[in-house]
Amino acid sequence: VIDVVELCQDLVRIPSVGAEHGEGAVVTYLSELLSEVPDAALDVIEGKPDRPSLLCTLDSGRPGPALILNGHTDTVSVGADQWVHGAFSGDVDDGCVWGRGSTDMKGGVAALVAATLELVEAGGPSAGKIILTASADEDTEGYYGVPWLIQHGKLTGDVAIVAEPAGVSEDYENLYIASRGYAYARVEVHAANGGHASLYSPDRPHAVAVACRLLTAIEQDFRPSPASHGLFPAGPTVIAGDRFEGGGELGYLAEYATFSVASRLLPGAEPDDFLPELKGFIARTCPGVEVSVELGGFPQPWGPPLELDPDHPLVQAALAAVHSAGYPSARIAGWPAFTEASFIATLGIPVLPGLGPGQIDLAHRPDERVSIASLRASVQIYRELFDQILCENSIIPPRDHAELARG
Ligand SMILES: [Zn+2]
């Protein structure tokens, strides 16, 4: 059985920058490794040419839950900054594996694969099945991996673990049971041409002036509901103007301007609430101006928030497993960003959004690294959860499909 540290080093040494569509080489490596597992069914699926995701299904042949294990294989770019260890070195130093993607999230992928291979070595799952997914395009366009697989019916199951880092600045600092969602909206302002610029009055503002007023007001005062949540003390986040376009010629009063509104939303947020709230806010701020608002500007403009019941047996089992793997102070918490767990949760199944090695603070920066201790602990935690999920008296009850269909 391949060691989790070696596996993580190997994965880091295969560059897979998402912006360069680099996932293919990782998929080839993992396919070769997993093709040696007897009875493993491998599927390589491209949501878009050159953006392959790998699905490896390991079926016990006995009834039981289908456990989805997920990690993304793309990374962000290396960036211009100096690295102490080369970005694709995979060096081991100071108790860590170093390199781009080590924390986000090749360490997580390595731990899921290593735990699965250990389980195979020990005889495989005693009930149900594992669906191990190494998915594309999380950190670039954010659509052609997990969301695409879910929306096209290629990925389904009864319970899931996403191996994003389980801590911000410490390994297994938290057990994440919730994550914020996001919405990307496009606001378009249309103003009637006010005539000659020399006769302009700000009482009848041109489109760019209206857009700027709206942009400032939205950032300062627009708070999408729900405005508060126990696991997210900072509330929702609103950024207006990541994208902005408007105006044209000097001396010509702008008739058109458009800008983006990027929001991070708390559990409970719904698109049917969000859009009317934003439209209402805009109408109150700039009455009488023609403004259109829609979700857009991104392949997947809405990512739902996620929340698991803290009393769910999956939460309790995961918390106990984290504690006994050497992190007794881990507490239930909300993941500050978005993870693809939210898309998996739209299947109506319980999902842990960030149960993996590494620290969020170390991601997306030079000298990204993952501790060997957290890699080994992750394998232990997954093995513990396999034992409780993939067995005859699983902590995940058989799904009541009729009830799910009724919604
Ligand atoms: Zn990630």
Side-chain angles (χ1 to χ4, degrees), residues 72 74 103-105 138-139 164-165 335 338 363-364:
H72 62 83
D74 61 325
T103 260
D104 184 16
M105 60 178 291
E138 196 267 352
D139 262 321
E164 291 274 9
W335 169 279
F338 179 80
H364 297 212

